């Protein structure tokens, strides 16, 4: 051994693949989160979604969007930032990307999931007699508007049987104001041959309490519609913490 030159020594040790062997061993070891994913899927399949808290449902969703990482910290970070699963899905793209682990593609995928959920909720009420499907209507409006950063003024157009024939966002405003033109509201109802409407708008502040301007605008629409045979069944205000019905509050 003492006669081995420096070049021979490098050649000798090069024949012993120490580093590649270590890498091969590491490659055989499965990431710790894979077993967790399997267990969580099994719990969902056997016990159903109600058995899982929000962060675990969000984890299940993120499994598909982030295939090669531990998604539990990401799910918990999203909920810590936005509050609830509904608020995560309702958050704007830019704010979602501020959470560590959420890039543009994952943020867009979350918004696609949110849009799918809204479409499902709308399907529950479209074409049905609205007054007998009131909770489904509220669920739909909440999913569509509760977490918007700006005010939206939405109109639900009903036929003579009070079935939903159209649902349109007429105006989008600022964080605390949306311009509404009563004549345009009634004009659109006549174009769609609607005989009744339900007005809906959101309060981005989260508090659904009607303002004086909300009440006055609603009364003006009611008076304008009355002259042309269009009834206003209600004006619902949606907030993060619930909703307010002007009819229920005896304001109209």
């Amino acid at each position: 051994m003492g006669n081995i030159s420096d070049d021979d020594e490098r050649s000798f040790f090069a024949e012993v693949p120490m580093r590649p062997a270590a890498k091969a061993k590491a490659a055989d070891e499965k990431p710790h989160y894979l077993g967790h994913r399997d267990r969580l899927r099994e719990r969902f399949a056997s016990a159903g979604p109600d058995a899982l808290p929000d962060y675990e449902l969000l984890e299940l969703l993120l499994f598909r969007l982030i295939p090669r990482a531990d998604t539990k910290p990401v799910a918990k970070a999203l909920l810590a930032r936005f509050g609830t699963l509904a608020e995560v899905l309702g958050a704007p793209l830019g704010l979602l990307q501020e959470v560590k682990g959420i890039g543009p593609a994952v943020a867009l995928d979350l918004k696609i999931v949110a849009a799918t959920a809204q479409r499902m909720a709308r399907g529950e009420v479209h074409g049905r007699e609205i007054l007998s499907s009131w909770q489904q209507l509220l669920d739909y409006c909440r999913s569509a508007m509760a977490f918007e950063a700006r005010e939206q003024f939405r109109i639900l157009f009903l036929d003579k049987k009070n079935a939903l024939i159209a649902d349109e966002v007429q105006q989008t405003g600022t964080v605390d104001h949306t311009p509404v033109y009563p004549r345009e509201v009634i004009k659109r109802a006549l174009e769609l041959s609607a005989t009744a409407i339900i007005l809906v708008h959101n309060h981005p502040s989260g508090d659904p309490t009607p303002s004086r301007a909300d009440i006055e605008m609603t009364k003006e629409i009611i008076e304008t519609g009355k002259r042309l045979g269009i009834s206003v069944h209600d004006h619902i205000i949606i907030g993060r913490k619930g909703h307010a019905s002007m009819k229920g509050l005896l304001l109209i």
Side-chain angles (χ1 to χ4, degrees), residues 167-221:
D167 161 27
E168 298 180 354
V169 175
Q170 193 193 54
Q171 296 286 342
T172 298
T174 64
V175 295
D176 59 2
H177 175 69
T178 304
V180 178
Y181 306 100
R183 289 186 180 181
E184 292 300 315
V185 172
I186 301 305
K187 176 184 176 183
R188 184 57 178 156
L190 293 171
E191 290 173 349
L192 293 171
S193 299
T195 58
I197 57 176
I198 296 174
L199 311 175
V200 189
H201 83 278
N202 63 310
H203 280 180
S205 67
D207 181 3
T209 304
S211 67
R212 182 177 296 277
D214 292 336
I215 299 168
E216 291 175 354
M217 174 266 292
T218 305
K219 289 181 177 179
E220 188 174 348
I221 293 175

Side-chain angles (χ1 to χ4, degrees), residues 5 10 16 31-32 49 76 80 84 88 97-98 100 117 127 130 153 155 157-158 162 180 188 203 208-209 220 228 230:
S5 68
R10 285 194 294 271
V16 182
H32 71 280
K76 289 189 172 182
T84 66
V88 170
Q97 292 177 59
E98 292 178 3
K100 185 178 180 180
I130 288 295
F153 184 74
I155 308 172
F157 299 94
L158 313 179
N162 286 322
V180 178
R188 184 57 178 156
H203 280 180
T209 304
E220 188 174 348
L228 295 169
I230 307 295

Side-chain angles (χ1 to χ4, degrees), residues 19 22 29 31 56 59 96 112 132 177 196 229-230:
R19 286 184 177 275
E29 296 177 357
E56 288 185 333
E59 271 192 87
L96 286 170
I112 292 171
S132 63
H177 175 69
I230 307 295

